[in-house]
Structure formats: C-alpha cells, structure tokens
Amino acid sequence: MRTDGGHRVGRRARHGNERAASSQPRPRTGGAARERGDAGGSAVVPVFLYHCVSDDPPDWIAEFTVTPKQFAAQLDAVVRSGRTPVTISALADHLAGRAPLPPRPVLLTFDDGFADLPGPTAEALARRELPATAYLTTGAITPGGRSLLPPAAMMTLDRAVELERSGMEIGSHTVTHAQLDTLSARDLAYELRTSKAVLEDALGHEVRHLAYPHGYNSPRVRAMSARAGYETATAVRHALSSEHDEAHRIARLIVRRSHTLADVEGWLAGTGARLAPYRDGPRTIAWRWYRRARALVRGPEFAG
C-alpha cells in the first residue's frame, strides 16, 4: 500500500492524499512563466525528504531508500548548487515574518529515525557542513515503545542529542506513525502532544516542528497541530516549497531510489516539480474521505 508520505508496503499503487502528484512517473511543473521567474531564486525553496540511507534496506522502505553512494552524490550536488542549506527554523522565521530567508535556501529533512541517521548519514552531512532537520517517530525509537512502522533497524531516543550536536534540528514525527487525518480528536491529540513531550524531555528544550506521517493532513489536523504548539508542519506533496508556502503544510520533495542525480539537480535549480502553495485536488480529497471511512472499520492504520 502506498500512501501520502512516501512508504510503500506491497505492490498495489494507490493515490496518496498529499502525494497524488508523486504517483505520476515525473511530476509536472507549475505554470511555465511562474517557474521561469522563480527558477534558482530565493522564491523557490527545495525541501528534500529522505528516509533511510542504506545498501540493504527492508523491502517495505526500499523504494524510499538511497544508497550511501547516491546520497553522497546528492549532497555534493547541494554543495555545488550554491544554495544555502538551512534547518526548518529558518523557514519558520521567514514565514512568521521574523527574519528573511538567506539567498537561495535549501532544506534537507529526514523522517522516522532509521539507524543510519546518527551514524554515517550524520557524518556525511557534517563532512560537508550541511545542517539538516530530523523528524523522529518516538514510539519507534523509544525502548518498549509502540509504533505502526514495520520492522527495521532504528536509532534510539538517547541519540537525538547527538544529532543536534552534529548540526541537525529535531522535530516530531508523532508517536506511532498513524494516518493523522483519520484519527479521532483524542487520538490525534495524543500523537501530537505525547511525541512533542517525549522529545522535549530527551533534548531539554522546546520542539516546535512537526512532519505529518506520509504527509497525511487536513484542515483539522493542521489546526490541532498549531494548537499543540507546533510552529510549522511539513507535508510531502512532492513539490517545491516557496517563500509563500503554508506554515503547517510545507511541501517537500520525496527522494526515491529511482530518482537520478539529474532529478536532484533540477530541483536545486528550481525546476522539475510543481510550486507550492496550491489547493488539494479532487482525487486527494476523495482519497482522504475513503481512508477515513476505512479507519472507522479497521481502526488506526500505518501511514505508509
């Protein structure tokens, strides 16, 4: 099953909520004049979404895993691009009107908290002096915790401090990695508030940023995320973000193993994908309502 945030379990293709565009072989761009005017400039903000960096990932995450060799080449492309790597707080400051973005920003983000993250992945970033943002699923990285993620080698919560020391900002990716837009208000509040509290206890400071599991969100989810104390929330959408994006639905570009270096270089140039913000399409809305109905029968499901 494939859903909004980027994982695939099995071989059946489905239309994702925020990822309807990514179900196509290659995303279409936005208006040509708009893209030409923004290409390579600060108005376009590529936000890359990585999961696992491994030569031998579990089957369920393999499509959204890059090899260490691919990862190194993509990071070198970021360096060559002349873009300014920043964490999510820099984009948050801009969207809140507190500070301008640096010239030609780019964000590197990592979801879930796979075992490679505080090791070789963080080291590859640090060697190039590239900051990043890591969104951690607390139920999957806490000993004795519960999550809906299938089995995989994961980091542990105590290493989150190491990530910060290496130059990563930490955000929440909920507790269980459920499809947030299908949950009851009580269950949604638990996912948002408990994961935030666990990370804050581990790090000793406030955690202000969230990534929706597989990008699944809705107006209700966005509103509750803001009330829970998150200043920003990232979705997926497989689109370029911009300096005018929505603070609680920031678009990201999901990096698949099938993406080429040319794809990455195109995104860095501000081309090759739609430009956010934009409204949900009919298929996205219909898929959301279908999943909600299914959740009433099956209960909370893995967003993946």
Side-chain angles (χ1 to χ4, degrees):
M1 177 181 70
R2 185 175 67 201
T3 56
D4 190 41
H7 303 310
R8 177 176 297 201
V9 179
R11 296 183 177 273
R12 291 181 299 166
R14 296 184 184 273
H15 296 301
N17 178 30
E18 293 289 338
R19 289 188 54 233
S22 68
S23 64
Q24 304 302 320
R26 283 290 181 267
R28 296 176 64 95
T29 62
R34 184 182 187 189
E35 182 174 293
R36 284 195 300 271
D38 288 340
S42 61
V44 173
V45 185
V47 183
F48 290 81
L49 165 55
Y50 289 96
H51 291 86
C52 184
V53 180
S54 172
D55 284 314
D56 187 27
D59 287 345
W60 67 271
I61 195 64
E63 182 181 355
F64 302 99
T65 295
V66 296
T67 68
K69 183 177 180 180
Q70 285 177 304
F71 187 58
Q74 291 166 5
L75 295 186
D76 289 341
V78 172
V79 173
R80 289 194 307 271
S81 73
R83 283 192 173 270
T84 306
V86 297
T87 63
I88 191 65
S89 282
L91 184 54
D93 287 343
H94 167 76
L95 294 175
R98 292 189 296 265
L101 281 167
R104 306 183 72 245
V106 60
L107 282 75
L108 304 174
T109 71
F110 298 81
D111 281 9
D112 301 329
F114 289 95
D116 63 274
L117 188 57
T121 297
E123 292 166 7
L125 291 162
R127 281 196 301 272
R128 297 165 176 83
E129 299 183 337
L130 297 174
T133 303
Y135 295 104
L136 304 180
T137 305
T138 57
I141 65 173
T142 304
R146 181 183 68 86
S147 84
L148 298 173
L149 287 170
M154 307 297 291
M155 63 173 280
T156 52
L157 179 62
D158 60 335
R159 302 197 72 183
V161 173
E162 293 179 37
L163 291 179
E164 284 196 326
R165 290 173 182 161
S166 72
M168 288 196 195
E169 185 169 20
I170 305 300
S172 166
H173 202 38
T174 74
V175 178
T176 70
H177 209 277
Q179 298 179 19
L180 296 185
D181 58 343
T182 69
L183 300 181
S184 68
R186 178 180 178 180
D187 289 345
L188 177 57
Y190 167 79
E191 293 283 350
L192 298 173
R193 296 181 183 278
T194 302
S195 58
K196 190 175 190 292
V198 167
L199 291 171
E200 289 175 344
D201 286 346
L203 298 171
H205 61 74
E206 185 181 13
V207 171
R208 300 184 296 131
H209 308 292
L210 169 73
Y212 304 120
H214 292 269
Y216 281 139
N217 68 91
S218 65
R220 180 178 71 108
V221 171
R222 297 194 290 274
M224 287 190 65
S225 298
R227 287 198 296 271
Y230 293 106
E231 188 172 6
T232 72
T234 53
V236 180
R237 316 200 89 181
H238 199 72
L240 291 155
S241 185
S242 74
E243 60 184 14
H244 306 296
D245 209 349
E246 302 168 80
H248 288 89
R249 188 164 53 165
I250 295 168
R252 294 190 288 174
L253 296 152
I254 188 164
V255 184
R256 302 170 182 252
R257 63 180 176 181
S258 58
H259 283 130
T260 66
L261 186 58
D263 291 324
V264 172
E265 290 171 337
W267 299 334
L268 289 166
T271 63
R274 192 173 185 179
L275 188 64
Y278 55 86
R279 294 181 179 179
D280 289 337
R283 288 192 303 174
T284 294
I285 296 170
W287 176 237
R288 182 184 301 146
W289 282 105
Y290 170 78
R291 289 183 297 98
R292 286 178 179 171
R294 188 175 63 187
L296 291 174
V297 177
R298 300 183 182 179
E301 292 187 291
F302 168 56

